[in-house]
Amino acid sequence: MVKHFLSLRDFSKEETNKLIDLALDIKKNPSKYSQVLSGKCVGLFFEKPSLRTKAAFYIGALQLGGQAIYYSPDEVQLGLREKIADVARTASQFMDVAVLRTYSHEKVLEFADFSAIPVINALSDLLHPSQILGDLITMRELKGGIENLKVAYIGDANNVCNSLMDAFAIMGGILYIAAPKGYQPEKRMLDKTKSYCIKSGAKITITASVKEAAQMSDVVYTDVWVSMGQEKERAKRKKIFKNFQINDQLLKLAKKDCLVMHCLPAHRGEEITDSVMESKNSVVFLQAENRLYAAKAILTYVFGKS
Ligand code: CP
Ligand code: NVA
């Protein structure tokens, strides 16, 4: 059976921990994994810009002994130039894995349906699972497993937030999401996590109070107020989210040694201040680095070499 990586909810707690262990082993012993993708080619199909994710999967593929080909947003035009099903079947003839960054999440699912090769979700409007796998690695390295943490996500309940919810639902732990009314997690996304939360003991709380979320938290996490594709809403969103900023005042509510996390790119002065980005609590560049090990672990996993 083809192994895809589409959503964190497709993995059990044990499997997720194995992926984290694998990523940390790859980080420690890169040479052990230098031939995992020998003779294989990774195809990257991106509808949106990227710095970290493209680097993580492209360079990750090369470091694992494989090759990579990158299609920029204008080239393939998933579903526009030709049907996604036709792209998926064609890609399956040339490549050994497809890494997709899309607007609609349905495009990733449709591609996977018709693909004979593994498909990796490298961000859709709905989910960003490879980001959160990287973040689980960062939290494990610095704080141990998330099951022992209180994490406060402050801001828009977007793709990053949805995958963070999935991670907590599977692994356990306490997650607070502080977002303005109308921008809180969708009921259908919350509902999807419910049975997992019962099993893991996770507690996910949605609030409009930044204070309630940040109070005594081990991690304060944020992401942009305006995600890719929402540019027309910029002015409106900047007003709505103005009190959902990670700044020095907010940081004082959290534990002294709390981690400040951001998937990046950051809009300094909007969701996070310069001062917090540069503070001793900020681990945003370690997060960025760990994207590479997450990508290498995912690539290793889909080829059944984990
Ligand atoms: N965090 C993240 O996915 O960054 P890029 O958009 O630069 O890939
Ligand atoms: N929520 C952001 C994440 C960028 C990595 C976006 O989708 O644009």
Side-chain angles (χ1 to χ4, degrees):
M1 211 179 89
V2 184
K3 287 183 180 176
H4 300 301
F5 182 85
L6 306 178
S7 154
L8 290 177
R9 252 183 291 111
D10 297 336
F11 297 85
S12 66
K13 179 171 181 168
E14 196 192 356
E15 288 166 336
T16 307
N17 270 323
K18 270 194 187 159
L19 277 172
I20 299 170
D21 292 341
L22 175 63
L24 288 169
D25 196 47
I26 292 172
K27 187 172 182 176
K28 213 167 137 197
N29 308 296
S31 57
K32 205 167 120 186
Y33 297 87
S34 65
Q35 293 307 313
V36 168
L37 258 64
S38 178
K40 310 269 188 207
C41 183
V42 176
L44 285 85
F45 298 86
F46 279 35
E47 284 189 322
K48 292 172 173 171
S50 172
L51 170 62
R52 284 145 287 269
T53 313
K54 178 178 171 183
F57 284 101
Y58 197 108
I59 296 169
L62 303 188
Q63 290 182 356
L64 292 170
Q67 298 188 355
I69 180 168
Y70 171 74
Y71 291 101
S72 66
D74 286 342
E75 286 179 88
V76 175
Q77 302 174 48
L78 288 169
L80 257 169
R81 190 165 174 262
E82 59 192 308
K83 274 168 70 86
I84 290 176
D86 295 349
V87 179
R89 285 179 288 191
T90 306
S92 302
Q93 310 297 329
F94 286 92
M95 300 156 204
D96 303 283
V97 58
V99 180
L100 262 62
R101 171 165 280 206
T102 63
Y103 286 95
S104 122
H105 186 67
E106 281 63 39
K107 285 190 180 181
V108 182
L109 299 180
E110 192 180 338
F111 197 111
D113 268 352
F114 289 92
S115 175
I117 57 175
V119 176
I120 296 170
N121 178 1
L123 182 148
S124 67
D125 282 349
L126 194 70
L127 300 173
H128 198 0
S130 72
Q131 171 69 50
I132 299 300
L133 181 66
D135 298 337
L136 291 178
I137 296 163
T138 303
M139 287 187 262
R140 167 87 81 77
E141 278 185 310
L142 300 175
K143 293 272 180 200
I146 62 165
E147 49 272 51
N148 305 312
L149 302 180
K150 173 183 174 181
V151 174
Y153 177 92
I154 315 279
D156 187 25
N158 57 20
N159 42 12
V160 168
C161 178
N162 284 335
S163 285
L164 192 61
M165 284 202 301
D166 286 347
F168 271 85
I170 294 153
M171 308 298 280
I174 298 170
L175 175 65
Y176 276 77
I177 296 165
K181 289 252 161 65
Y183 296 84
Q184 295 178 344
E186 285 179 48
K187 187 179 174 300
R188 71 181 173 118
M189 297 310 289
L190 269 172
D191 285 349
K192 282 183 184 168
T193 64
K194 283 207 169 119
S195 61
Y196 297 87
C197 287
I198 291 167
K199 197 169 168 207
S200 67
K203 198 167 170 284
I204 300 178
T205 305
I206 315 298
T207 175
S209 162
V210 166
K211 196 173 164 194
E212 184 190 5
Q215 203 90 50
M216 289 306 287
S217 57
D218 299 285
V219 177
V220 183
Y221 196 127
T222 191
D223 183 18
V224 289
W225 295 338
V226 184
S227 283
M228 292 179 275
Q230 297 173 331
E231 289 77 9
K232 283 192 183 133
E233 297 175 40
R234 169 163 286 280
K236 180 178 143 205
R237 281 176 169 265
K238 273 181 78 171
K239 275 190 206 146
I240 291 169
F241 282 97
K242 72 176 190 317
N243 296 325
F244 292 80
Q245 182 189 60
I246 303 196
N247 50 36
D248 290 322
Q249 213 181 338
L250 180 128
L251 213 56
K252 284 196 188 118
L253 298 167
K255 286 187 184 161
K256 233 182 142 73
D257 63 347
C258 80
L259 306 180
V260 171
M261 299 183 73
H262 191 313
C263 58
L264 303 181
H267 286 173
R268 292 168 182 244
E270 293 186 14
E271 75 278 0
I272 191 164
T273 58
D274 259 332
S275 155
V276 172
M277 271 283 282
E278 302 299 340
S279 71
K280 63 173 179 15
N281 301 80
S282 170
V283 296
V284 299
F285 296 108
L286 175 64
Q287 267 182 279
E289 181 197 343
N290 281 335
R291 297 294 310 284
L292 175 65
Y293 308 109
K296 289 172 81 171
I298 296 164
L299 289 168
T300 304
Y301 157 80
V302 295
F303 285 113
K305 301 274 173 66
S306 54

PDB file of all heavy atoms in Angstrom, residues 46 48-56 101 122-123 128 130-131 160 221 223 228 262-265 288 291, ligand 1:
ATOM      1  N   PHE A  46       4.242  23.161  -6.097  1.00  0.00           N
ATOM      2  CA  PHE A  46       3.857  24.227  -5.160  1.00  0.00           C
ATOM      3  C   PHE A  46       2.979  25.261  -5.858  1.00  0.00           C
ATOM      4  O   PHE A  46       3.369  25.834  -6.869  1.00  0.00           O
ATOM      5  CB  PHE A  46       5.114  24.908  -4.582  1.00  0.00           C
ATOM      6  CG  PHE A  46       5.755  24.155  -3.431  1.00  0.00           C
ATOM      7  CD1 PHE A  46       5.771  22.764  -3.394  1.00  0.00           C
ATOM      8  CD2 PHE A  46       6.338  24.829  -2.374  1.00  0.00           C
ATOM      9  CE1 PHE A  46       6.354  22.064  -2.332  1.00  0.00           C
ATOM     10  CE2 PHE A  46       6.922  24.149  -1.306  1.00  0.00           C
ATOM     11  CZ  PHE A  46       6.929  22.763  -1.285  1.00  0.00           C
ATOM     12  N   LYS A  48       1.929  27.830  -3.965  1.00  0.00           N
ATOM     13  CA  LYS A  48       2.141  29.011  -3.125  1.00  0.00           C
ATOM     14  C   LYS A  48       3.633  29.183  -2.884  1.00  0.00           C
ATOM     15  O   LYS A  48       4.381  28.206  -2.986  1.00  0.00           O
ATOM     16  CB  LYS A  48       1.471  28.800  -1.764  1.00  0.00           C
ATOM     17  CG  LYS A  48      -0.039  28.747  -1.768  1.00  0.00           C
ATOM     18  CD  LYS A  48      -0.544  28.339  -0.387  1.00  0.00           C
ATOM     19  CE  LYS A  48      -2.042  28.440  -0.272  1.00  0.00           C
ATOM     20  NZ  LYS A  48      -2.551  27.856   0.981  1.00  0.00           N
ATOM     21  N   PRO A  49       4.061  30.397  -2.506  1.00  0.00           N
ATOM     22  CA  PRO A  49       5.487  30.598  -2.215  1.00  0.00           C
ATOM     23  C   PRO A  49       5.947  29.796  -0.992  1.00  0.00           C
ATOM     24  O   PRO A  49       5.121  29.360  -0.194  1.00  0.00           O
ATOM     25  CB  PRO A  49       5.596  32.091  -1.909  1.00  0.00           C
ATOM     26  CG  PRO A  49       4.269  32.694  -2.137  1.00  0.00           C
ATOM     27  CD  PRO A  49       3.263  31.607  -2.306  1.00  0.00           C
ATOM     28  N   SER A  50       7.258  29.622  -0.858  1.00  0.00           N
ATOM     29  CA  SER A  50       7.819  28.899   0.284  1.00  0.00           C
ATOM     30  C   SER A  50       9.309  29.185   0.404  1.00  0.00           C
ATOM     31  O   SER A  50      10.005  29.274  -0.600  1.00  0.00           O
ATOM     32  CB  SER A  50       7.616  27.392   0.105  1.00  0.00           C
ATOM     33  OG  SER A  50       8.312  26.674   1.098  1.00  0.00           O
ATOM     34  N   LEU A  51       9.780  29.327   1.613  1.00  0.00           N
ATOM     35  CA  LEU A  51      11.220  29.360   1.875  1.00  0.00           C
ATOM     36  C   LEU A  51      11.611  28.045   2.568  1.00  0.00           C
ATOM     37  O   LEU A  51      12.348  27.227   2.035  1.00  0.00           O
ATOM     38  CB  LEU A  51      11.585  30.567   2.756  1.00  0.00           C
ATOM     39  CG  LEU A  51      13.011  30.603   3.301  1.00  0.00           C
ATOM     40  CD1 LEU A  51      14.045  30.670   2.191  1.00  0.00           C
ATOM     41  CD2 LEU A  51      13.201  31.812   4.232  1.00  0.00           C
ATOM     42  N   ARG A  52      11.068  27.834   3.758  1.00  0.00           N
ATOM     43  CA  ARG A  52      11.462  26.701   4.591  1.00  0.00           C
ATOM     44  C   ARG A  52      11.029  25.344   4.037  1.00  0.00           C
ATOM     45  O   ARG A  52      11.830  24.402   3.967  1.00  0.00           O
ATOM     46  CB  ARG A  52      10.874  26.856   6.011  1.00  0.00           C
ATOM     47  CG  ARG A  52      11.598  27.868   6.859  1.00  0.00           C
ATOM     48  CD  ARG A  52      10.626  28.592   7.758  1.00  0.00           C
ATOM     49  NE  ARG A  52       9.831  29.509   6.972  1.00  0.00           N
ATOM     50  CZ  ARG A  52      10.166  30.785   6.761  1.00  0.00           C
ATOM     51  NH1 ARG A  52      11.197  31.294   7.355  1.00  0.00           N
ATOM     52  NH2 ARG A  52       9.429  31.577   5.967  1.00  0.00           N
ATOM     53  N   THR A  53       9.770  25.244   3.643  1.00  0.00           N
ATOM     54  CA  THR A  53       9.243  23.922   3.268  1.00  0.00           C
ATOM     55  C   THR A  53       9.910  23.409   1.999  1.00  0.00           C
ATOM     56  O   THR A  53      10.259  22.230   1.893  1.00  0.00           O
ATOM     57  CB  THR A  53       7.712  24.004   3.094  1.00  0.00           C
ATOM     58  OG1 THR A  53       7.182  24.704   4.220  1.00  0.00           O
ATOM     59  CG2 THR A  53       7.093  22.628   3.007  1.00  0.00           C
ATOM     60  N   LYS A  54      10.091  24.325   1.035  1.00  0.00           N
ATOM     61  CA  LYS A  54      10.765  23.914  -0.206  1.00  0.00           C
ATOM     62  C   LYS A  54      12.196  23.458   0.107  1.00  0.00           C
ATOM     63  O   LYS A  54      12.641  22.404  -0.351  1.00  0.00           O
ATOM     64  CB  LYS A  54      10.781  25.084  -1.198  1.00  0.00           C
ATOM     65  CG  LYS A  54      11.511  24.753  -2.487  1.00  0.00           C
ATOM     66  CD  LYS A  54      11.480  25.913  -3.466  1.00  0.00           C
ATOM     67  CE  LYS A  54      12.415  25.632  -4.648  1.00  0.00           C
ATOM     68  NZ  LYS A  54      12.476  26.754  -5.599  1.00  0.00           N
ATOM     69  N   ALA A  55      12.898  24.251   0.937  1.00  0.00           N
ATOM     70  CA  ALA A  55      14.270  23.885   1.296  1.00  0.00           C
ATOM     71  C   ALA A  55      14.296  22.542   2.024  1.00  0.00           C
ATOM     72  O   ALA A  55      15.140  21.680   1.739  1.00  0.00           O
ATOM     73  CB  ALA A  55      14.894  24.968   2.164  1.00  0.00           C
ATOM     74  N   ALA A  56      13.367  22.366   2.958  1.00  0.00           N
ATOM     75  CA  ALA A  56      13.370  21.141   3.775  1.00  0.00           C
ATOM     76  C   ALA A  56      13.200  19.899   2.906  1.00  0.00           C
ATOM     77  O   ALA A  56      13.946  18.915   3.051  1.00  0.00           O
ATOM     78  CB  ALA A  56      12.266  21.212   4.825  1.00  0.00           C
ATOM     79  N   ARG A 101       2.025  21.635  -2.215  1.00  0.00           N
ATOM     80  CA  ARG A 101       1.584  22.820  -1.443  1.00  0.00           C
ATOM     81  C   ARG A 101       0.458  23.456  -2.245  1.00  0.00           C
ATOM     82  O   ARG A 101       0.655  23.909  -3.364  1.00  0.00           O
ATOM     83  CB  ARG A 101       2.741  23.792  -1.245  1.00  0.00           C
ATOM     84  CG  ARG A 101       2.297  25.101  -0.650  1.00  0.00           C
ATOM     85  CD  ARG A 101       3.432  25.949  -0.119  1.00  0.00           C
ATOM     86  NE  ARG A 101       3.861  25.511   1.183  1.00  0.00           N
ATOM     87  CZ  ARG A 101       4.440  26.288   2.096  1.00  0.00           C
ATOM     88  NH1 ARG A 101       4.666  27.558   1.852  1.00  0.00           N
ATOM     89  NH2 ARG A 101       4.807  25.811   3.259  1.00  0.00           N
ATOM     90  N   ALA A 122       2.499  19.448   1.978  1.00  0.00           N
ATOM     91  CA  ALA A 122       3.475  20.460   2.408  1.00  0.00           C
ATOM     92  C   ALA A 122       2.788  21.795   2.670  1.00  0.00           C
ATOM     93  O   ALA A 122       3.409  22.834   2.522  1.00  0.00           O
ATOM     94  CB  ALA A 122       4.559  20.618   1.347  1.00  0.00           C
ATOM     95  N   LEU A 123       1.558  21.762   3.033  1.00  0.00           N
ATOM     96  CA  LEU A 123       0.660  22.874   3.400  1.00  0.00           C
ATOM     97  C   LEU A 123      -0.491  22.968   2.412  1.00  0.00           C
ATOM     98  O   LEU A 123      -0.296  23.007   1.191  1.00  0.00           O
ATOM     99  CB  LEU A 123       1.391  24.228   3.444  1.00  0.00           C
ATOM    100  CG  LEU A 123       0.578  25.473   3.872  1.00  0.00           C
ATOM    101  CD1 LEU A 123       1.448  26.495   4.599  1.00  0.00           C
ATOM    102  CD2 LEU A 123      -0.116  26.138   2.683  1.00  0.00           C
ATOM    103  N   HIS A 128      -1.203  21.981   7.945  1.00  0.00           N
ATOM    104  CA  HIS A 128       0.245  22.100   7.693  1.00  0.00           C
ATOM    105  C   HIS A 128       0.966  21.054   8.565  1.00  0.00           C
ATOM    106  O   HIS A 128       1.696  21.395   9.491  1.00  0.00           O
ATOM    107  CB  HIS A 128       0.708  23.520   8.010  1.00  0.00           C
ATOM    108  CG  HIS A 128       2.034  23.880   7.414  1.00  0.00           C
ATOM    109  ND1 HIS A 128       2.777  23.001   6.634  1.00  0.00           N
ATOM    110  CD2 HIS A 128       2.770  25.029   7.481  1.00  0.00           C
ATOM    111  CE1 HIS A 128       3.887  23.594   6.268  1.00  0.00           C
ATOM    112  NE2 HIS A 128       3.911  24.815   6.753  1.00  0.00           N
ATOM    113  N   SER A 130       3.502  18.894   8.147  1.00  0.00           N
ATOM    114  CA  SER A 130       4.967  18.753   8.221  1.00  0.00           C
ATOM    115  C   SER A 130       5.551  19.847   9.117  1.00  0.00           C
ATOM    116  O   SER A 130       6.579  19.646   9.771  1.00  0.00           O
ATOM    117  CB  SER A 130       5.605  18.770   6.833  1.00  0.00           C
ATOM    118  OG  SER A 130       5.579  20.061   6.267  1.00  0.00           O
ATOM    119  N   GLN A 131       4.894  21.005   9.158  1.00  0.00           N
ATOM    120  CA  GLN A 131       5.314  22.078  10.068  1.00  0.00           C
ATOM    121  C   GLN A 131       5.182  21.601  11.517  1.00  0.00           C
ATOM    122  O   GLN A 131       6.112  21.711  12.316  1.00  0.00           O
ATOM    123  CB  GLN A 131       4.414  23.311   9.854  1.00  0.00           C
ATOM    124  CG  GLN A 131       4.618  24.403  10.873  1.00  0.00           C
ATOM    125  CD  GLN A 131       5.964  25.089  10.733  1.00  0.00           C
ATOM    126  OE1 GLN A 131       6.320  25.484   9.634  1.00  0.00           O
ATOM    127  NE2 GLN A 131       6.706  25.234  11.812  1.00  0.00           N
ATOM    128  N   VAL A 160      -2.049  26.037  10.325  1.00  0.00           N
ATOM    129  CA  VAL A 160      -1.050  25.680  11.343  1.00  0.00           C
ATOM    130  C   VAL A 160      -1.771  25.325  12.647  1.00  0.00           C
ATOM    131  O   VAL A 160      -1.461  24.314  13.294  1.00  0.00           O
ATOM    132  CB  VAL A 160      -0.051  26.855  11.529  1.00  0.00           C
ATOM    133  CG1 VAL A 160       0.822  26.661  12.755  1.00  0.00           C
ATOM    134  CG2 VAL A 160       0.808  27.005  10.276  1.00  0.00           C
ATOM    135  N   TYR A 221       2.613  30.173  21.026  1.00  0.00           N
ATOM    136  CA  TYR A 221       2.802  29.928  19.587  1.00  0.00           C
ATOM    137  C   TYR A 221       1.914  30.894  18.810  1.00  0.00           C
ATOM    138  O   TYR A 221       0.771  31.154  19.199  1.00  0.00           O
ATOM    139  CB  TYR A 221       2.374  28.477  19.280  1.00  0.00           C
ATOM    140  CG  TYR A 221       2.840  27.912  17.946  1.00  0.00           C
ATOM    141  CD1 TYR A 221       3.525  26.705  17.881  1.00  0.00           C
ATOM    142  CD2 TYR A 221       2.583  28.571  16.751  1.00  0.00           C
ATOM    143  CE1 TYR A 221       3.954  26.175  16.668  1.00  0.00           C
ATOM    144  CE2 TYR A 221       3.018  28.053  15.529  1.00  0.00           C
ATOM    145  CZ  TYR A 221       3.700  26.861  15.496  1.00  0.00           C
ATOM    146  OH  TYR A 221       4.127  26.356  14.290  1.00  0.00           O
ATOM    147  N   ASP A 223       1.062  32.551  14.542  1.00  0.00           N
ATOM    148  CA  ASP A 223       1.265  32.522  13.097  1.00  0.00           C
ATOM    149  C   ASP A 223       0.647  33.800  12.535  1.00  0.00           C
ATOM    150  O   ASP A 223      -0.058  34.521  13.253  1.00  0.00           O
ATOM    151  CB  ASP A 223       0.589  31.259  12.507  1.00  0.00           C
ATOM    152  CG  ASP A 223       0.816  31.120  11.003  1.00  0.00           C
ATOM    153  OD1 ASP A 223       1.742  31.771  10.470  1.00  0.00           O
ATOM    154  OD2 ASP A 223       0.058  30.366  10.348  1.00  0.00           O
ATOM    155  N   MET A 228      -1.581  32.920   3.235  1.00  0.00           N
ATOM    156  CA  MET A 228      -1.482  32.997   1.770  1.00  0.00           C
ATOM    157  C   MET A 228      -2.865  32.732   1.172  1.00  0.00           C
ATOM    158  O   MET A 228      -3.522  31.751   1.527  1.00  0.00           O
ATOM    159  CB  MET A 228      -0.466  31.974   1.265  1.00  0.00           C
ATOM    160  CG  MET A 228       0.957  32.317   1.684  1.00  0.00           C
ATOM    161  SD  MET A 228       2.173  31.125   1.121  1.00  0.00           S
ATOM    162  CE  MET A 228       2.110  29.886   2.399  1.00  0.00           C
ATOM    163  N   HIS A 262       6.929  30.256  16.354  1.00  0.00           N
ATOM    164  CA  HIS A 262       6.261  30.844  15.178  1.00  0.00           C
ATOM    165  C   HIS A 262       6.746  30.023  13.981  1.00  0.00           C
ATOM    166  O   HIS A 262       7.945  29.797  13.827  1.00  0.00           O
ATOM    167  CB  HIS A 262       6.665  32.314  15.038  1.00  0.00           C
ATOM    168  CG  HIS A 262       5.853  33.091  14.036  1.00  0.00           C
ATOM    169  ND1 HIS A 262       5.570  32.623  12.768  1.00  0.00           N
ATOM    170  CD2 HIS A 262       5.259  34.304  14.129  1.00  0.00           C
ATOM    171  CE1 HIS A 262       4.833  33.521  12.129  1.00  0.00           C
ATOM    172  NE2 HIS A 262       4.628  34.543  12.934  1.00  0.00           N
ATOM    173  N   CYS A 263       5.804  29.593  13.148  1.00  0.00           N
ATOM    174  CA  CYS A 263       6.217  28.743  12.022  1.00  0.00           C
ATOM    175  C   CYS A 263       7.015  29.524  10.979  1.00  0.00           C
ATOM    176  O   CYS A 263       7.739  28.927  10.199  1.00  0.00           O
ATOM    177  CB  CYS A 263       4.982  28.112  11.376  1.00  0.00           C
ATOM    178  SG  CYS A 263       3.799  29.345  10.800  1.00  0.00           S
ATOM    179  N   LEU A 264       6.866  30.868  10.981  1.00  0.00           N
ATOM    180  CA  LEU A 264       7.510  31.770  10.014  1.00  0.00           C
ATOM    181  C   LEU A 264       6.927  31.521   8.613  1.00  0.00           C
ATOM    182  O   LEU A 264       6.562  30.392   8.325  1.00  0.00           O
ATOM    183  CB  LEU A 264       9.031  31.599   9.996  1.00  0.00           C
ATOM    184  CG  LEU A 264       9.755  31.800  11.346  1.00  0.00           C
ATOM    185  CD1 LEU A 264      11.268  31.614  11.143  1.00  0.00           C
ATOM    186  CD2 LEU A 264       9.468  33.167  11.956  1.00  0.00           C
ATOM    187  N   PRO A 265       6.848  32.504   7.741  1.00  0.00           N
ATOM    188  CA  PRO A 265       7.386  33.850   7.913  1.00  0.00           C
ATOM    189  C   PRO A 265       6.591  34.671   8.925  1.00  0.00           C
ATOM    190  O   PRO A 265       5.378  34.514   9.013  1.00  0.00           O
ATOM    191  CB  PRO A 265       7.257  34.455   6.507  1.00  0.00           C
ATOM    192  CG  PRO A 265       6.098  33.730   5.891  1.00  0.00           C
ATOM    193  CD  PRO A 265       6.159  32.342   6.445  1.00  0.00           C
ATOM    194  N   ALA A 288      12.679  26.429  12.506  1.00  0.00           N
ATOM    195  CA  ALA A 288      12.921  26.429  11.052  1.00  0.00           C
ATOM    196  C   ALA A 288      13.913  25.314  10.696  1.00  0.00           C
ATOM    197  O   ALA A 288      13.701  24.548   9.747  1.00  0.00           O
ATOM    198  CB  ALA A 288      13.443  27.786  10.607  1.00  0.00           C
ATOM    199  N   ARG A 291      12.545  21.781  10.557  1.00  0.00           N
ATOM    200  CA  ARG A 291      11.723  21.424   9.398  1.00  0.00           C
ATOM    201  C   ARG A 291      12.470  20.441   8.501  1.00  0.00           C
ATOM    202  O   ARG A 291      11.882  19.566   7.876  1.00  0.00           O
ATOM    203  CB  ARG A 291      11.354  22.686   8.594  1.00  0.00           C
ATOM    204  CG  ARG A 291      10.507  23.718   9.317  1.00  0.00           C
ATOM    205  CD  ARG A 291       9.127  23.192   9.621  1.00  0.00           C
ATOM    206  NE  ARG A 291       8.491  22.606   8.448  1.00  0.00           N
ATOM    207  CZ  ARG A 291       7.955  23.285   7.437  1.00  0.00           C
ATOM    208  NH1 ARG A 291       7.931  24.600   7.462  1.00  0.00           N
ATOM    209  NH2 ARG A 291       7.410  22.662   6.399  1.00  0.00           N
TER     210      ARG A 291
HETATM  211  N1   CP B   1       6.677  27.638   7.807  1.00  0.00           N
HETATM  212  C1   CP B   1       6.637  27.483   6.491  1.00  0.00           C
HETATM  213  O1   CP B   1       5.953  26.609   5.952  1.00  0.00           O
HETATM  214  O2   CP B   1       7.437  28.340   5.792  1.00  0.00           O
HETATM  215  P1   CP B   1       7.455  28.512   4.222  1.00  0.00           P
HETATM  216  O3   CP B   1       6.114  29.048   3.811  1.00  0.00           O
HETATM  217  O4   CP B   1       8.574  29.483   3.952  1.00  0.00           O
HETATM  218  O5   CP B   1       7.704  27.174   3.594  1.00  0.00           O
END
